[in-house]
Amino acid sequence: MAWYIKKPTAEKKSKKSFWIRCSKCQSHIYESDWKENLNVCPNCNYHGSISSWERIALLYDEGSFQELFGEIRPVDSLGFTDLKGSYREKIDRNTRSAGVTEAVITGLGTIHGVKTVAAVMDFRFLGGSLGSATGEKILRAANYAHDHNLSLIIVSASGGARMQEGVLSLMQMAKTCAGIARLNRKNIPFISILTNPTTGGVTASYAMMGDINLAEPGAVIGFAGRRVIEQTIGEKLPADFQTAEYLLEHGFVDRIVHRRDLREEISRLLGFVNN
């Protein structure tokens, strides 16, 4: 299975290109070791960011993945502008830097020969935010799974709704949930994979609707931010609040799976739900 990464994203890279510094424990790790360990710190098990295409390479049989709905692109319907420039300019910058045209890649592929539909989010593109084009691609992926009786897998990595699109972004929460509800009525499995971070409107919609919810170790998963919640309720929250481990303990996540084991875990689950 091919694995290749051009550069680290969430992690800090030293001036000398052969070192990576872990964002959690601050350990310096050889870049080759970092890559070989799938962007997971060998010292503290911190799961660093990977791109949507790298995630697809990890999960899907080599050469089997076919992108669907790649023509759908974000549109600046509101003509949004702030002090840092226009939304259109941000889209162009993120497209160039991330190498993708939206915060999600949708497509069709096989995992150990079992065909599934996938929507894989990419945090590098505007923080994996949920915009109108993001929601449209996820809805179409769900509809494709519905029409072809195929399991749906969504890998979430997002800061929440894309505020540059206003209410058009918030509409995607109901829109994507409606598409997944159609799968439920037809008993088509939906596996949701929660990675770091999965927050805001994505958590409040399709990310937590899985028939099976998996999470990577240490992933931050929640709706409002920790500080906002503490100020609202006037209480100090537990140190592990909004982590995958906390959600597992409280019944919101079914299982925590190391990145290197996700492919085999999903394969086993598909074998179970498709029988």
Side-chain angles (χ1 to χ4, degrees):
M1 178 175 57
W3 165 258
Y4 173 69
I5 179 169
K6 292 183 178 179
K7 59 181 180 180
T9 50
E11 290 60 52
K12 298 177 182 178
K13 190 172 182 178
S14 304
K15 290 182 179 179
K16 294 183 178 181
S17 62
F18 47 80
W19 287 110
I20 300 292
R21 190 173 70 188
C22 173
S23 294
K24 183 178 180 181
C25 70
Q26 304 302 311
S27 297
H28 283 76
I29 304 154
Y30 279 118
E31 185 176 11
S32 58
D33 293 340
W34 180 263
K35 292 178 182 178
E36 185 177 349
N37 207 38
L38 309 180
N39 289 20
V40 177
C41 178
N43 298 318
C44 70
N45 202 39
Y46 171 74
H47 280 51
S49 297
I50 61 175
S51 72
S52 51
W53 283 114
E54 290 164 345
R55 177 78 64 179
I56 289 165
L58 283 175
L59 296 179
Y60 280 84
D61 298 338
E62 187 171 358
S64 73
F65 191 83
Q66 173 191 355
E67 185 176 6
L68 300 173
F69 318 119
E71 73 282 1
I72 299 174
R73 309 290 175 86
V75 176
D76 185 10
S77 302
L78 304 180
F80 182 90
T81 302
D82 60 17
L83 294 176
K84 295 183 179 180
S86 71
Y87 176 40
R88 181 70 260 171
E89 291 169 339
K90 289 183 180 180
I91 292 171
D92 292 340
R93 286 197 301 270
N94 278 260
T95 298
R96 290 193 298 270
S97 62
V100 292
T101 57
E102 241 304 340
V104 66
I105 298 292
T106 49
L108 177 71
T110 61
I111 298 176
H112 288 316
V114 178
K115 189 178 292 187
T116 71
V117 179
V120 183
M121 301 195 73
D122 198 321
F123 193 78
R124 300 172 306 156
F125 190 95
L126 289 170
S129 52
L130 176 60
S132 53
T134 325
E136 180 66 18
K137 293 181 75 171
I138 291 172
L139 174 64
R140 293 200 190 186
N143 288 344
Y144 190 98
H146 177 275
D147 295 342
H148 294 82
N149 295 309
L150 296 171
S151 298
L152 174 66
I153 297 172
I154 298 181
V155 182
S156 296
S158 176
R162 190 174 302 171
M163 291 295 97
Q164 294 91 341
E165 296 187 13
V167 72
L168 297 176
S169 172
L170 298 178
M171 287 169 57
Q172 308 310 310
M173 296 170 64
K175 178 177 172 180
T176 52
C177 288
I180 290 170
R182 294 181 71 223
L183 299 181
N184 293 337
R185 289 194 293 270
K186 206 174 178 182
N187 293 322
I188 293 175
F190 164 41
I191 299 175
S192 179
I193 302 171
L194 311 169
T195 71
N196 186 45
T198 298
T199 57
V202 170
T203 305
S205 56
Y206 56 86
M208 302 304 296
M209 286 184 66
D211 297 301
I212 301 169
N213 292 328
L214 305 178
E216 289 190 333
V220 174
I221 304 164
F223 181 59
R226 181 189 186 92
R227 180 166 40 181
V228 172
I229 297 173
E230 288 183 337
Q231 290 174 349
T232 301
I233 66 176
E235 296 179 14
K236 190 71 175 177
L237 295 169
D240 63 347
F241 183 70
Q242 291 185 328
T243 63
E245 290 74 16
Y246 185 91
L247 268 68
L248 177 66
E249 182 181 347
H250 290 80
F252 289 94
V253 168
D254 296 301
R255 190 168 296 176
I256 296 174
V257 186
H258 192 285
R259 182 173 294 164
R260 65 171 174 265
D261 301 323
L262 266 174
R263 175 181 165 90
E264 297 303 321
E265 181 69 19
I266 293 171
S267 179
R268 284 193 294 269
L269 290 172
L270 290 173
F272 174 75
V273 299
N274 288 325
N275 286 331

